[in-house]
Amino acid sequence: MRRVAIVPILAVLLISLSGCRSTTSPEPAPTSPATKKNDAVPVEVSPSTEDSLKSDPRPRIVCFGDSLTAGYGTEAGQAYPDYLQSDLDSKGYSYKVVNAGISGNTTKDGVERLPSVLAMKPVLVVVEFGGNDGLRGLRIADTRANLDKIVSTITSSGTKVVLAGITLPPDYGPDYIQQFNETYTLLARQYRIPMLPFLLKGVFGVDGMMQADRTHATAQGNKVVAQNVYSLIQPQLKKSR
């Protein structure tokens, strides 16, 4: 993904992949330096950002996550939220997609950024966090608490939420990985929200879909990710008459 570093999971949309491993075993992404092209810029509701949003009357869909959302490693306009915007436009949906992905973000960072996301008054938020937590081996209990805070705060505001999932490499151990993956399932059940188990479905391990780091999607891969997310959110959308 492009913009600073590491991955996320489930939309709540966490991933790293190893070139030495089987192409069927997804791995989390390592922390990347902030020197790569098109690193994400924090999405804050500054006066200029607010003016820009006010000039577009369409209801907002905020893609809220880490490097997988930010589009780390790709050119500007090649992150999955960019392609999601194109998909929505082509299918006759009138929504403004906002990319609120920042590479390297953990679930704790997500909690801290909640005010700026809610200030944009979105009608739907695609949540994709957790990958960086897992890659750092953070306590599952803390990751769950932070994700719970993110989801509960957004839903309490009256905004719809969907979760985008991810997973970890096998060397993190079956017990840790199982608990990590269950985090998204438990949240989805608790809040009765749609969930995408694996954000990189149809992308990971597919020629041309992943960057050389085998962690972040290429522009072509992000097109598929956008389709995955579109399928997840489509039941929540309404076409204007």
PDB file of all heavy atoms in Angstrom, residues 57-98:
ATOM      1  N   PRO A  57     -21.667  17.589  -2.218  1.00  0.00           N
ATOM      2  CA  PRO A  57     -22.862  17.300  -1.419  1.00  0.00           C
ATOM      3  C   PRO A  57     -23.186  15.821  -1.246  1.00  0.00           C
ATOM      4  O   PRO A  57     -24.085  15.461  -0.483  1.00  0.00           O
ATOM      5  CB  PRO A  57     -23.963  18.010  -2.206  1.00  0.00           C
ATOM      6  CG  PRO A  57     -23.501  17.901  -3.631  1.00  0.00           C
ATOM      7  CD  PRO A  57     -22.006  18.094  -3.559  1.00  0.00           C
ATOM      8  N   ARG A  58     -22.452  14.952  -1.919  1.00  0.00           N
ATOM      9  CA  ARG A  58     -22.772  13.526  -1.838  1.00  0.00           C
ATOM     10  C   ARG A  58     -22.503  12.973  -0.439  1.00  0.00           C
ATOM     11  O   ARG A  58     -21.579  13.416   0.247  1.00  0.00           O
ATOM     12  CB  ARG A  58     -21.938  12.746  -2.855  1.00  0.00           C
ATOM     13  CG  ARG A  58     -22.279  13.028  -4.306  1.00  0.00           C
ATOM     14  CD  ARG A  58     -21.334  12.285  -5.253  1.00  0.00           C
ATOM     15  NE  ARG A  58     -19.951  12.760  -5.136  1.00  0.00           N
ATOM     16  CZ  ARG A  58     -18.922  12.247  -5.793  1.00  0.00           C
ATOM     17  NH1 ARG A  58     -19.131  11.221  -6.625  1.00  0.00           N
ATOM     18  NH2 ARG A  58     -17.708  12.737  -5.643  1.00  0.00           N
ATOM     19  N   PRO A  59     -23.310  12.008   0.015  1.00  0.00           N
ATOM     20  CA  PRO A  59     -23.035  11.355   1.296  1.00  0.00           C
ATOM     21  C   PRO A  59     -21.671  10.684   1.249  1.00  0.00           C
ATOM     22  O   PRO A  59     -21.233  10.203   0.199  1.00  0.00           O
ATOM     23  CB  PRO A  59     -24.178  10.344   1.441  1.00  0.00           C
ATOM     24  CG  PRO A  59     -24.714  10.160   0.057  1.00  0.00           C
ATOM     25  CD  PRO A  59     -24.519  11.460  -0.641  1.00  0.00           C
ATOM     26  N   ARG A  60     -20.987  10.630   2.381  1.00  0.00           N
ATOM     27  CA  ARG A  60     -19.599  10.174   2.418  1.00  0.00           C
ATOM     28  C   ARG A  60     -19.442   8.748   2.927  1.00  0.00           C
ATOM     29  O   ARG A  60     -20.065   8.338   3.904  1.00  0.00           O
ATOM     30  CB  ARG A  60     -18.770  11.104   3.296  1.00  0.00           C
ATOM     31  CG  ARG A  60     -18.712  12.513   2.753  1.00  0.00           C
ATOM     32  CD  ARG A  60     -18.404  13.523   3.838  1.00  0.00           C
ATOM     33  NE  ARG A  60     -18.694  14.874   3.353  1.00  0.00           N
ATOM     34  CZ  ARG A  60     -18.850  15.917   4.154  1.00  0.00           C
ATOM     35  NH1 ARG A  60     -18.737  15.776   5.449  1.00  0.00           N
ATOM     36  NH2 ARG A  60     -19.123  17.097   3.635  1.00  0.00           N
ATOM     37  N   ILE A  61     -18.566   8.032   2.252  1.00  0.00           N
ATOM     38  CA  ILE A  61     -18.118   6.715   2.706  1.00  0.00           C
ATOM     39  C   ILE A  61     -16.650   6.876   3.066  1.00  0.00           C
ATOM     40  O   ILE A  61     -15.841   7.245   2.218  1.00  0.00           O
ATOM     41  CB  ILE A  61     -18.273   5.651   1.603  1.00  0.00           C
ATOM     42  CG1 ILE A  61     -19.751   5.438   1.264  1.00  0.00           C
ATOM     43  CG2 ILE A  61     -17.623   4.332   2.041  1.00  0.00           C
ATOM     44  CD1 ILE A  61     -19.980   4.491   0.095  1.00  0.00           C
ATOM     45  N   VAL A  62     -16.295   6.621   4.314  1.00  0.00           N
ATOM     46  CA  VAL A  62     -14.914   6.776   4.750  1.00  0.00           C
ATOM     47  C   VAL A  62     -14.255   5.408   4.868  1.00  0.00           C
ATOM     48  O   VAL A  62     -14.752   4.518   5.560  1.00  0.00           O
ATOM     49  CB  VAL A  62     -14.829   7.506   6.106  1.00  0.00           C
ATOM     50  CG1 VAL A  62     -13.378   7.524   6.609  1.00  0.00           C
ATOM     51  CG2 VAL A  62     -15.345   8.932   5.969  1.00  0.00           C
ATOM     52  N   CYS A  63     -13.147   5.228   4.170  1.00  0.00           N
ATOM     53  CA  CYS A  63     -12.353   4.008   4.260  1.00  0.00           C
ATOM     54  C   CYS A  63     -11.276   4.286   5.305  1.00  0.00           C
ATOM     55  O   CYS A  63     -10.342   5.056   5.064  1.00  0.00           O
ATOM     56  CB  CYS A  63     -11.729   3.665   2.904  1.00  0.00           C
ATOM     57  SG  CYS A  63     -12.955   3.334   1.617  1.00  0.00           S
ATOM     58  N   PHE A  64     -11.417   3.673   6.464  1.00  0.00           N
ATOM     59  CA  PHE A  64     -10.658   4.001   7.666  1.00  0.00           C
ATOM     60  C   PHE A  64      -9.723   2.839   8.011  1.00  0.00           C
ATOM     61  O   PHE A  64     -10.176   1.756   8.372  1.00  0.00           O
ATOM     62  CB  PHE A  64     -11.663   4.241   8.794  1.00  0.00           C
ATOM     63  CG  PHE A  64     -11.102   4.752  10.081  1.00  0.00           C
ATOM     64  CD1 PHE A  64      -9.980   5.567  10.134  1.00  0.00           C
ATOM     65  CD2 PHE A  64     -11.742   4.439  11.278  1.00  0.00           C
ATOM     66  CE1 PHE A  64      -9.494   6.057  11.339  1.00  0.00           C
ATOM     67  CE2 PHE A  64     -11.273   4.918  12.489  1.00  0.00           C
ATOM     68  CZ  PHE A  64     -10.153   5.725  12.521  1.00  0.00           C
ATOM     69  N   GLY A  65      -8.403   3.045   7.858  1.00  0.00           N
ATOM     70  CA  GLY A  65      -7.493   1.934   8.124  1.00  0.00           C
ATOM     71  C   GLY A  65      -6.029   2.307   8.057  1.00  0.00           C
ATOM     72  O   GLY A  65      -5.650   3.464   8.275  1.00  0.00           O
ATOM     73  N   ASP A  66      -5.203   1.305   7.722  1.00  0.00           N
ATOM     74  CA  ASP A  66      -3.757   1.504   7.670  1.00  0.00           C
ATOM     75  C   ASP A  66      -3.245   1.509   6.231  1.00  0.00           C
ATOM     76  O   ASP A  66      -3.895   2.002   5.331  1.00  0.00           O
ATOM     77  CB  ASP A  66      -3.057   0.428   8.508  1.00  0.00           C
ATOM     78  CG  ASP A  66      -3.557  -0.965   8.167  1.00  0.00           C
ATOM     79  OD1 ASP A  66      -3.794  -1.234   6.984  1.00  0.00           O
ATOM     80  OD2 ASP A  66      -3.704  -1.790   9.090  1.00  0.00           O
ATOM     81  N   SER A  67      -2.067   0.911   6.008  1.00  0.00           N
ATOM     82  CA  SER A  67      -1.429   0.986   4.693  1.00  0.00           C
ATOM     83  C   SER A  67      -2.213   0.283   3.593  1.00  0.00           C
ATOM     84  O   SER A  67      -2.125   0.662   2.428  1.00  0.00           O
ATOM     85  CB  SER A  67      -0.013   0.405   4.747  1.00  0.00           C
ATOM     86  OG  SER A  67      -0.044  -0.958   5.109  1.00  0.00           O
ATOM     87  N   LEU A  68      -2.965  -0.744   3.940  1.00  0.00           N
ATOM     88  CA  LEU A  68      -3.756  -1.443   2.921  1.00  0.00           C
ATOM     89  C   LEU A  68      -4.844  -0.537   2.377  1.00  0.00           C
ATOM     90  O   LEU A  68      -5.244  -0.643   1.220  1.00  0.00           O
ATOM     91  CB  LEU A  68      -4.370  -2.719   3.507  1.00  0.00           C
ATOM     92  CG  LEU A  68      -3.367  -3.802   3.895  1.00  0.00           C
ATOM     93  CD1 LEU A  68      -4.085  -5.034   4.428  1.00  0.00           C
ATOM     94  CD2 LEU A  68      -2.496  -4.172   2.714  1.00  0.00           C
ATOM     95  N   THR A  69      -5.340   0.346   3.220  1.00  0.00           N
ATOM     96  CA  THR A  69      -6.334   1.328   2.795  1.00  0.00           C
ATOM     97  C   THR A  69      -5.651   2.522   2.147  1.00  0.00           C
ATOM     98  O   THR A  69      -6.119   3.047   1.127  1.00  0.00           O
ATOM     99  CB  THR A  69      -7.170   1.803   4.005  1.00  0.00           C
ATOM    100  OG1 THR A  69      -7.934   0.702   4.514  1.00  0.00           O
ATOM    101  CG2 THR A  69      -8.122   2.925   3.612  1.00  0.00           C
ATOM    102  N   ALA A  70      -4.535   2.942   2.732  1.00  0.00           N
ATOM    103  CA  ALA A  70      -3.837   4.125   2.229  1.00  0.00           C
ATOM    104  C   ALA A  70      -3.345   3.952   0.802  1.00  0.00           C
ATOM    105  O   ALA A  70      -3.253   4.909   0.040  1.00  0.00           O
ATOM    106  CB  ALA A  70      -2.655   4.459   3.147  1.00  0.00           C
ATOM    107  N   GLY A  71      -3.011   2.691   0.435  1.00  0.00           N
ATOM    108  CA  GLY A  71      -2.506   2.454  -0.911  1.00  0.00           C
ATOM    109  C   GLY A  71      -1.003   2.501  -0.964  1.00  0.00           C
ATOM    110  O   GLY A  71      -0.415   2.922  -1.970  1.00  0.00           O
ATOM    111  N   TYR A  72      -0.360   2.062   0.111  1.00  0.00           N
ATOM    112  CA  TYR A  72       1.097   2.096   0.215  1.00  0.00           C
ATOM    113  C   TYR A  72       1.777   1.462  -1.007  1.00  0.00           C
ATOM    114  O   TYR A  72       1.390   0.399  -1.468  1.00  0.00           O
ATOM    115  CB  TYR A  72       1.538   1.353   1.480  1.00  0.00           C
ATOM    116  CG  TYR A  72       3.033   1.302   1.659  1.00  0.00           C
ATOM    117  CD1 TYR A  72       3.712   2.369   2.245  1.00  0.00           C
ATOM    118  CD2 TYR A  72       3.759   0.206   1.222  1.00  0.00           C
ATOM    119  CE1 TYR A  72       5.089   2.338   2.398  1.00  0.00           C
ATOM    120  CE2 TYR A  72       5.136   0.161   1.370  1.00  0.00           C
ATOM    121  CZ  TYR A  72       5.794   1.235   1.955  1.00  0.00           C
ATOM    122  OH  TYR A  72       7.163   1.198   2.095  1.00  0.00           O
ATOM    123  N   GLY A  73       2.786   2.164  -1.539  1.00  0.00           N
ATOM    124  CA  GLY A  73       3.577   1.635  -2.642  1.00  0.00           C
ATOM    125  C   GLY A  73       3.010   1.856  -4.024  1.00  0.00           C
ATOM    126  O   GLY A  73       3.626   1.469  -5.013  1.00  0.00           O
ATOM    127  N   THR A  74       1.842   2.485  -4.112  1.00  0.00           N
ATOM    128  CA  THR A  74       1.252   2.743  -5.426  1.00  0.00           C
ATOM    129  C   THR A  74       1.255   4.252  -5.701  1.00  0.00           C
ATOM    130  O   THR A  74       1.544   5.057  -4.818  1.00  0.00           O
ATOM    131  CB  THR A  74      -0.195   2.226  -5.496  1.00  0.00           C
ATOM    132  OG1 THR A  74      -1.003   2.926  -4.535  1.00  0.00           O
ATOM    133  CG2 THR A  74      -0.246   0.742  -5.210  1.00  0.00           C
ATOM    134  N   GLU A  75       0.921   4.608  -6.916  1.00  0.00           N
ATOM    135  CA  GLU A  75       0.866   6.018  -7.266  1.00  0.00           C
ATOM    136  C   GLU A  75      -0.434   6.630  -6.748  1.00  0.00           C
ATOM    137  O   GLU A  75      -1.386   5.926  -6.407  1.00  0.00           O
ATOM    138  CB  GLU A  75       0.928   6.184  -8.799  1.00  0.00           C
ATOM    139  CG  GLU A  75       2.192   5.647  -9.438  1.00  0.00           C
ATOM    140  CD  GLU A  75       3.432   6.410  -8.998  1.00  0.00           C
ATOM    141  OE1 GLU A  75       3.288   7.574  -8.559  1.00  0.00           O
ATOM    142  OE2 GLU A  75       4.541   5.849  -9.078  1.00  0.00           O
ATOM    143  N   ALA A  76      -0.468   7.949  -6.699  1.00  0.00           N
ATOM    144  CA  ALA A  76      -1.680   8.649  -6.280  1.00  0.00           C
ATOM    145  C   ALA A  76      -2.842   8.227  -7.180  1.00  0.00           C
ATOM    146  O   ALA A  76      -2.693   8.125  -8.393  1.00  0.00           O
ATOM    147  CB  ALA A  76      -1.465  10.158  -6.364  1.00  0.00           C
ATOM    148  N   GLY A  77      -3.973   7.960  -6.563  1.00  0.00           N
ATOM    149  CA  GLY A  77      -5.155   7.550  -7.330  1.00  0.00           C
ATOM    150  C   GLY A  77      -5.250   6.059  -7.560  1.00  0.00           C
ATOM    151  O   GLY A  77      -6.152   5.597  -8.262  1.00  0.00           O
ATOM    152  N   GLN A  78      -4.321   5.272  -6.957  1.00  0.00           N
ATOM    153  CA  GLN A  78      -4.312   3.827  -7.180  1.00  0.00           C
ATOM    154  C   GLN A  78      -4.577   3.018  -5.909  1.00  0.00           C
ATOM    155  O   GLN A  78      -4.368   1.813  -5.886  1.00  0.00           O
ATOM    156  CB  GLN A  78      -2.976   3.397  -7.786  1.00  0.00           C
ATOM    157  CG  GLN A  78      -2.731   3.960  -9.174  1.00  0.00           C
ATOM    158  CD  GLN A  78      -1.397   3.527  -9.762  1.00  0.00           C
ATOM    159  OE1 GLN A  78      -0.493   3.076  -9.047  1.00  0.00           O
ATOM    160  NE2 GLN A  78      -1.263   3.653 -11.074  1.00  0.00           N
ATOM    161  N   ALA A  79      -5.049   3.675  -4.858  1.00  0.00           N
ATOM    162  CA  ALA A  79      -5.423   2.963  -3.637  1.00  0.00           C
ATOM    163  C   ALA A  79      -6.811   2.369  -3.852  1.00  0.00           C
ATOM    164  O   ALA A  79      -7.567   2.822  -4.725  1.00  0.00           O
ATOM    165  CB  ALA A  79      -5.431   3.913  -2.446  1.00  0.00           C
ATOM    166  N   TYR A  80      -7.163   1.365  -3.051  1.00  0.00           N
ATOM    167  CA  TYR A  80      -8.472   0.744  -3.277  1.00  0.00           C
ATOM    168  C   TYR A  80      -9.634   1.723  -3.130  1.00  0.00           C
ATOM    169  O   TYR A  80     -10.638   1.605  -3.866  1.00  0.00           O
ATOM    170  CB  TYR A  80      -8.648  -0.508  -2.401  1.00  0.00           C
ATOM    171  CG  TYR A  80      -9.399  -0.310  -1.119  1.00  0.00           C
ATOM    172  CD1 TYR A  80     -10.775  -0.085  -1.104  1.00  0.00           C
ATOM    173  CD2 TYR A  80      -8.751  -0.380   0.116  1.00  0.00           C
ATOM    174  CE1 TYR A  80     -11.474   0.089   0.081  1.00  0.00           C
ATOM    175  CE2 TYR A  80      -9.433  -0.205   1.297  1.00  0.00           C
ATOM    176  CZ  TYR A  80     -10.797   0.032   1.280  1.00  0.00           C
ATOM    177  OH  TYR A  80     -11.481   0.207   2.446  1.00  0.00           O
ATOM    178  N   PRO A  81      -9.579   2.733  -2.209  1.00  0.00           N
ATOM    179  CA  PRO A  81     -10.696   3.683  -2.140  1.00  0.00           C
ATOM    180  C   PRO A  81     -10.903   4.455  -3.442  1.00  0.00           C
ATOM    181  O   PRO A  81     -12.037   4.832  -3.777  1.00  0.00           O
ATOM    182  CB  PRO A  81     -10.295   4.617  -0.989  1.00  0.00           C
ATOM    183  CG  PRO A  81      -9.449   3.752  -0.105  1.00  0.00           C
ATOM    184  CD  PRO A  81      -8.630   2.946  -1.090  1.00  0.00           C
ATOM    185  N   ASP A  82      -9.820   4.706  -4.178  1.00  0.00           N
ATOM    186  CA  ASP A  82      -9.941   5.403  -5.462  1.00  0.00           C
ATOM    187  C   ASP A  82     -10.728   4.553  -6.457  1.00  0.00           C
ATOM    188  O   ASP A  82     -11.606   5.051  -7.178  1.00  0.00           O
ATOM    189  CB  ASP A  82      -8.554   5.708  -6.036  1.00  0.00           C
ATOM    190  CG  ASP A  82      -7.757   6.659  -5.164  1.00  0.00           C
ATOM    191  OD1 ASP A  82      -8.226   7.778  -4.914  1.00  0.00           O
ATOM    192  OD2 ASP A  82      -6.659   6.272  -4.716  1.00  0.00           O
ATOM    193  N   TYR A  83     -10.407   3.261  -6.487  1.00  0.00           N
ATOM    194  CA  TYR A  83     -11.116   2.367  -7.403  1.00  0.00           C
ATOM    195  C   TYR A  83     -12.537   2.099  -6.932  1.00  0.00           C
ATOM    196  O   TYR A  83     -13.444   1.895  -7.758  1.00  0.00           O
ATOM    197  CB  TYR A  83     -10.344   1.056  -7.554  1.00  0.00           C
ATOM    198  CG  TYR A  83      -9.002   1.240  -8.235  1.00  0.00           C
ATOM    199  CD1 TYR A  83      -7.808   0.938  -7.579  1.00  0.00           C
ATOM    200  CD2 TYR A  83      -8.922   1.745  -9.535  1.00  0.00           C
ATOM    201  CE1 TYR A  83      -6.577   1.132  -8.194  1.00  0.00           C
ATOM    202  CE2 TYR A  83      -7.705   1.939 -10.161  1.00  0.00           C
ATOM    203  CZ  TYR A  83      -6.532   1.627  -9.479  1.00  0.00           C
ATOM    204  OH  TYR A  83      -5.312   1.824 -10.101  1.00  0.00           O
ATOM    205  N   LEU A  84     -12.744   2.126  -5.623  1.00  0.00           N
ATOM    206  CA  LEU A  84     -14.104   1.971  -5.102  1.00  0.00           C
ATOM    207  C   LEU A  84     -14.963   3.145  -5.564  1.00  0.00           C
ATOM    208  O   LEU A  84     -16.132   2.960  -5.929  1.00  0.00           O
ATOM    209  CB  LEU A  84     -14.069   1.909  -3.571  1.00  0.00           C
ATOM    210  CG  LEU A  84     -15.428   1.790  -2.869  1.00  0.00           C
ATOM    211  CD1 LEU A  84     -16.159   0.512  -3.287  1.00  0.00           C
ATOM    212  CD2 LEU A  84     -15.243   1.828  -1.352  1.00  0.00           C
ATOM    213  N   GLN A  85     -14.389   4.338  -5.558  1.00  0.00           N
ATOM    214  CA  GLN A  85     -15.120   5.507  -6.053  1.00  0.00           C
ATOM    215  C   GLN A  85     -15.527   5.314  -7.507  1.00  0.00           C
ATOM    216  O   GLN A  85     -16.673   5.584  -7.891  1.00  0.00           O
ATOM    217  CB  GLN A  85     -14.245   6.763  -5.928  1.00  0.00           C
ATOM    218  CG  GLN A  85     -14.926   8.050  -6.406  1.00  0.00           C
ATOM    219  CD  GLN A  85     -16.010   8.517  -5.461  1.00  0.00           C
ATOM    220  OE1 GLN A  85     -15.722   9.039  -4.399  1.00  0.00           O
ATOM    221  NE2 GLN A  85     -17.267   8.333  -5.857  1.00  0.00           N
ATOM    222  N   SER A  86     -14.597   4.817  -8.319  1.00  0.00           N
ATOM    223  CA  SER A  86     -14.893   4.585  -9.732  1.00  0.00           C
ATOM    224  C   SER A  86     -15.980   3.534  -9.901  1.00  0.00           C
ATOM    225  O   SER A  86     -16.879   3.676 -10.752  1.00  0.00           O
ATOM    226  CB  SER A  86     -13.623   4.136 -10.477  1.00  0.00           C
ATOM    227  OG  SER A  86     -12.634   5.141 -10.439  1.00  0.00           O
ATOM    228  N   ASP A  87     -15.912   2.475  -9.089  1.00  0.00           N
ATOM    229  CA  ASP A  87     -16.926   1.419  -9.167  1.00  0.00           C
ATOM    230  C   ASP A  87     -18.305   1.962  -8.814  1.00  0.00           C
ATOM    231  O   ASP A  87     -19.305   1.654  -9.483  1.00  0.00           O
ATOM    232  CB  ASP A  87     -16.569   0.266  -8.221  1.00  0.00           C
ATOM    233  CG  ASP A  87     -15.362  -0.529  -8.695  1.00  0.00           C
ATOM    234  OD1 ASP A  87     -15.018  -0.418  -9.887  1.00  0.00           O
ATOM    235  OD2 ASP A  87     -14.768  -1.247  -7.870  1.00  0.00           O
ATOM    236  N   LEU A  88     -18.376   2.754  -7.761  1.00  0.00           N
ATOM    237  CA  LEU A  88     -19.659   3.318  -7.349  1.00  0.00           C
ATOM    238  C   LEU A  88     -20.214   4.248  -8.420  1.00  0.00           C
ATOM    239  O   LEU A  88     -21.409   4.215  -8.742  1.00  0.00           O
ATOM    240  CB  LEU A  88     -19.498   4.078  -6.029  1.00  0.00           C
ATOM    241  CG  LEU A  88     -19.180   3.234  -4.798  1.00  0.00           C
ATOM    242  CD1 LEU A  88     -18.890   4.135  -3.600  1.00  0.00           C
ATOM    243  CD2 LEU A  88     -20.326   2.290  -4.476  1.00  0.00           C
ATOM    244  N   ASP A  89     -19.342   5.084  -8.988  1.00  0.00           N
ATOM    245  CA  ASP A  89     -19.778   6.009 -10.038  1.00  0.00           C
ATOM    246  C   ASP A  89     -20.323   5.248 -11.241  1.00  0.00           C
ATOM    247  O   ASP A  89     -21.375   5.606 -11.795  1.00  0.00           O
ATOM    248  CB  ASP A  89     -18.609   6.893 -10.485  1.00  0.00           C
ATOM    249  CG  ASP A  89     -18.150   7.862  -9.401  1.00  0.00           C
ATOM    250  OD1 ASP A  89     -18.895   8.059  -8.428  1.00  0.00           O
ATOM    251  OD2 ASP A  89     -17.031   8.406  -9.537  1.00  0.00           O
ATOM    252  N   SER A  90     -19.614   4.192 -11.638  1.00  0.00           N
ATOM    253  CA  SER A  90     -20.014   3.445 -12.836  1.00  0.00           C
ATOM    254  C   SER A  90     -21.312   2.669 -12.639  1.00  0.00           C
ATOM    255  O   SER A  90     -22.014   2.375 -13.603  1.00  0.00           O
ATOM    256  CB  SER A  90     -18.899   2.473 -13.247  1.00  0.00           C
ATOM    257  OG  SER A  90     -18.731   1.450 -12.279  1.00  0.00           O
ATOM    258  N   LYS A  91     -21.619   2.367 -11.382  1.00  0.00           N
ATOM    259  CA  LYS A  91     -22.825   1.596 -11.088  1.00  0.00           C
ATOM    260  C   LYS A  91     -24.003   2.480 -10.687  1.00  0.00           C
ATOM    261  O   LYS A  91     -25.057   1.984 -10.267  1.00  0.00           O
ATOM    262  CB  LYS A  91     -22.529   0.570  -9.997  1.00  0.00           C
ATOM    263  CG  LYS A  91     -21.499  -0.473 -10.431  1.00  0.00           C
ATOM    264  CD  LYS A  91     -21.173  -1.459  -9.324  1.00  0.00           C
ATOM    265  CE  LYS A  91     -20.008  -2.372  -9.714  1.00  0.00           C
ATOM    266  NZ  LYS A  91     -20.279  -3.157 -10.926  1.00  0.00           N
ATOM    267  N   GLY A  92     -23.824   3.777 -10.810  1.00  0.00           N
ATOM    268  CA  GLY A  92     -24.929   4.697 -10.575  1.00  0.00           C
ATOM    269  C   GLY A  92     -25.167   5.090  -9.131  1.00  0.00           C
ATOM    270  O   GLY A  92     -26.235   5.614  -8.795  1.00  0.00           O
ATOM    271  N   TYR A  93     -24.165   4.900  -8.262  1.00  0.00           N
ATOM    272  CA  TYR A  93     -24.302   5.297  -6.866  1.00  0.00           C
ATOM    273  C   TYR A  93     -23.654   6.662  -6.651  1.00  0.00           C
ATOM    274  O   TYR A  93     -22.544   6.909  -7.126  1.00  0.00           O
ATOM    275  CB  TYR A  93     -23.642   4.278  -5.939  1.00  0.00           C
ATOM    276  CG  TYR A  93     -24.382   2.968  -5.852  1.00  0.00           C
ATOM    277  CD1 TYR A  93     -23.957   1.858  -6.575  1.00  0.00           C
ATOM    278  CD2 TYR A  93     -25.516   2.847  -5.046  1.00  0.00           C
ATOM    279  CE1 TYR A  93     -24.636   0.642  -6.497  1.00  0.00           C
ATOM    280  CE2 TYR A  93     -26.213   1.636  -4.966  1.00  0.00           C
ATOM    281  CZ  TYR A  93     -25.752   0.541  -5.687  1.00  0.00           C
ATOM    282  OH  TYR A  93     -26.435  -0.651  -5.612  1.00  0.00           O
ATOM    283  N   SER A  94     -24.351   7.523  -5.934  1.00  0.00           N
ATOM    284  CA  SER A  94     -23.842   8.869  -5.706  1.00  0.00           C
ATOM    285  C   SER A  94     -23.293   8.998  -4.288  1.00  0.00           C
ATOM    286  O   SER A  94     -23.998   9.406  -3.353  1.00  0.00           O
ATOM    287  CB  SER A  94     -24.952   9.903  -5.929  1.00  0.00           C
ATOM    288  OG  SER A  94     -24.460  11.211  -5.773  1.00  0.00           O
ATOM    289  N   TYR A  95     -22.029   8.633  -4.120  1.00  0.00           N
ATOM    290  CA  TYR A  95     -21.351   8.730  -2.827  1.00  0.00           C
ATOM    291  C   TYR A  95     -19.954   9.308  -3.037  1.00  0.00           C
ATOM    292  O   TYR A  95     -19.345   9.112  -4.100  1.00  0.00           O
ATOM    293  CB  TYR A  95     -21.206   7.358  -2.162  1.00  0.00           C
ATOM    294  CG  TYR A  95     -22.492   6.762  -1.652  1.00  0.00           C
ATOM    295  CD1 TYR A  95     -23.275   5.955  -2.476  1.00  0.00           C
ATOM    296  CD2 TYR A  95     -22.929   6.998  -0.343  1.00  0.00           C
ATOM    297  CE1 TYR A  95     -24.461   5.398  -2.022  1.00  0.00           C
ATOM    298  CE2 TYR A  95     -24.114   6.437   0.122  1.00  0.00           C
ATOM    299  CZ  TYR A  95     -24.875   5.643  -0.716  1.00  0.00           C
ATOM    300  OH  TYR A  95     -26.052   5.097  -0.251  1.00  0.00           O
ATOM    301  N   LYS A  96     -19.441   9.985  -2.021  1.00  0.00           N
ATOM    302  CA  LYS A  96     -18.078  10.492  -2.030  1.00  0.00           C
ATOM    303  C   LYS A  96     -17.238   9.585  -1.136  1.00  0.00           C
ATOM    304  O   LYS A  96     -17.489   9.472   0.070  1.00  0.00           O
ATOM    305  CB  LYS A  96     -18.032  11.928  -1.488  1.00  0.00           C
ATOM    306  CG  LYS A  96     -16.631  12.464  -1.197  1.00  0.00           C
ATOM    307  CD  LYS A  96     -15.778  12.537  -2.452  1.00  0.00           C
ATOM    308  CE  LYS A  96     -14.402  13.148  -2.124  1.00  0.00           C
ATOM    309  NZ  LYS A  96     -13.528  13.179  -3.323  1.00  0.00           N
ATOM    310  N   VAL A  97     -16.231   8.919  -1.717  1.00  0.00           N
ATOM    311  CA  VAL A  97     -15.359   8.036  -0.957  1.00  0.00           C
ATOM    312  C   VAL A  97     -14.156   8.821  -0.454  1.00  0.00           C
ATOM    313  O   VAL A  97     -13.470   9.490  -1.237  1.00  0.00           O
ATOM    314  CB  VAL A  97     -14.880   6.841  -1.811  1.00  0.00           C
ATOM    315  CG1 VAL A  97     -13.937   5.957  -0.990  1.00  0.00           C
ATOM    316  CG2 VAL A  97     -16.069   6.025  -2.313  1.00  0.00           C
ATOM    317  N   VAL A  98     -13.907   8.753   0.847  1.00  0.00           N
ATOM    318  CA  VAL A  98     -12.777   9.451   1.459  1.00  0.00           C
ATOM    319  C   VAL A  98     -11.767   8.417   1.954  1.00  0.00           C
ATOM    320  O   VAL A  98     -12.123   7.493   2.684  1.00  0.00           O
ATOM    321  CB  VAL A  98     -13.235  10.315   2.655  1.00  0.00           C
ATOM    322  CG1 VAL A  98     -12.038  11.023   3.289  1.00  0.00           C
ATOM    323  CG2 VAL A  98     -14.281  11.333   2.203  1.00  0.00           C
TER     324      VAL A  98
END
